[in-house]
Amino acid sequence: MLAALADPELDNGPRTERSATVRLCAVSRKVRPVGELIRFVVSPHGEVVPDIKRKLPGRGLWLSASRQVVAEAVRRHQFARGFKRDVRVAATLAADTERLLASSVAEALAVAAKAGQVVSGFTKVETLLRSGRGHSGVAALIHASDGARDGIRKLDALVEQNAGNKKETKEFPIIAVLTSAELDLALSRANVIHAALLAGPASRTFLSRSLILVRYRLADDDKTAGTVPENSD
């Protein structure tokens, strides 16, 4: 697939790349699924910006979803090389990208809440997990990343208990990528620490975006995710 491209580092724009399932990371030089990568484009003002939703116009350069890889791309001036033009790259691009990824997760959670696919509050979540809908009707358990460990431990134990009672082996997502303040903003409520995500189309978007954010933050621990070649300059 990549061999047919005139320039394997750049795509030809979001409208022409919808069917692509893999892309080349411009830093690691590894071909990876697009779900494990972040697309970057050049704005009309000549500034490199992350295209979190993969919809911005113009040709795109792809990097492994890893804070280390994005920082390395900035250090190496990889964007100017990849786009083959002078571009402006913020020194804070790696941190800016993480902030935008978190915002996209919060946005997806807000959409799920408006669709009635979110239950928030410790008591409500606990009741839901103890009910017949507990494990089958819940797509994920959500905790504030800065939440108290006691409440988190109690709800996590209920999830494990439900899985054991039903003898389920599939992994049940427990998401803790947003702070309480970010959950408050997304759900238009105060002091949100725990929530349950119900199954539905909006919940799938939230889960996929959360996975990218987790990967971005933890990819340095995954030796296969965006490793920089030893002969890099």
Side-chain angles (χ1 to χ4, degrees):
M1 180 182 300
L2 292 176
L5 296 175
D7 187 343
E9 281 197 11
L10 297 176
D11 64 32
N12 293 313
R15 294 183 180 276
T16 59
E17 296 294 326
R18 288 180 179 175
S19 61
T21 58
V22 296
R23 292 297 311 182
L24 176 72
C25 170
V27 170
S28 70
R29 314 303 300 175
K30 294 180 182 292
V31 175
R32 305 187 65 84
V34 294
E36 299 177 7
L37 299 161
I38 298 174
R39 183 176 187 262
F40 291 82
V41 300
V42 180
S43 76
H45 302 292
E47 184 176 6
V48 172
V49 295
D51 180 15
I52 303 300
K53 298 180 181 178
R54 305 170 192 158
K55 293 182 179 179
L56 294 179
R59 302 191 72 185
L61 181 144
W62 297 73
L63 296 178
S64 296
S66 159
R67 182 170 178 141
Q68 179 186 10
V69 169
V70 175
E72 185 69 10
V74 174
R75 185 189 72 80
R76 280 204 227 164
H77 307 289
Q78 189 65 48
F79 294 103
R81 295 179 184 177
F83 287 110
K84 297 177 176 60
R85 55 175 287 194
D86 291 333
V87 294
R88 297 205 319 270
V89 183
T92 57
L93 184 62
D96 295 342
T97 300
E98 181 173 352
R99 176 178 53 79
L100 289 174
L101 287 170
S103 295
S104 75
V105 172
E107 177 186 291
L109 183 60
V111 171
K114 289 179 181 178
Q117 295 174 16
V118 178
V119 174
S120 60
F122 180 89
T123 301
K124 290 183 178 180
V125 173
E126 181 184 34
T127 299
L128 180 61
L129 291 175
R130 291 186 184 280
S131 71
R133 295 178 63 197
H135 210 239
S136 59
V138 178
L141 180 60
I142 301 169
H143 300 305
S145 58
D146 53 352
R149 300 309 306 172
D150 185 54
I152 292 174
R153 185 169 55 252
K154 287 179 180 178
L155 293 179
D156 288 355
L158 277 177
V159 169
E160 293 179 5
Q161 179 182 326
N162 286 345
N165 290 342
K166 297 185 178 182
K167 298 181 179 180
E168 294 184 359
T169 57
K170 66 178 181 179
E171 184 176 353
F172 184 86
I174 297 177
I175 310 296
V177 297
L178 300 177
T179 64
S180 177
E182 290 169 328
L183 290 177
D184 290 352
L185 187 61
L187 301 178
S188 300
R189 290 191 54 184
N191 303 317
V192 178
I193 303 297
H194 311 284
L197 184 71
L198 305 182
S203 66
R204 289 194 291 271
T205 300
F206 170 80
L207 288 174
S208 64
R209 293 185 184 181
S210 295
L211 180 60
I212 286 288
L213 179 56
V214 169
R215 180 179 294 277
Y216 188 82
R217 290 173 172 170
L218 302 181
D220 297 347
D221 297 328
D222 177 0
K223 303 308 180 184
T224 69
T227 305
V228 179
E230 292 183 2
N231 62 351
S232 303
D233 58 347

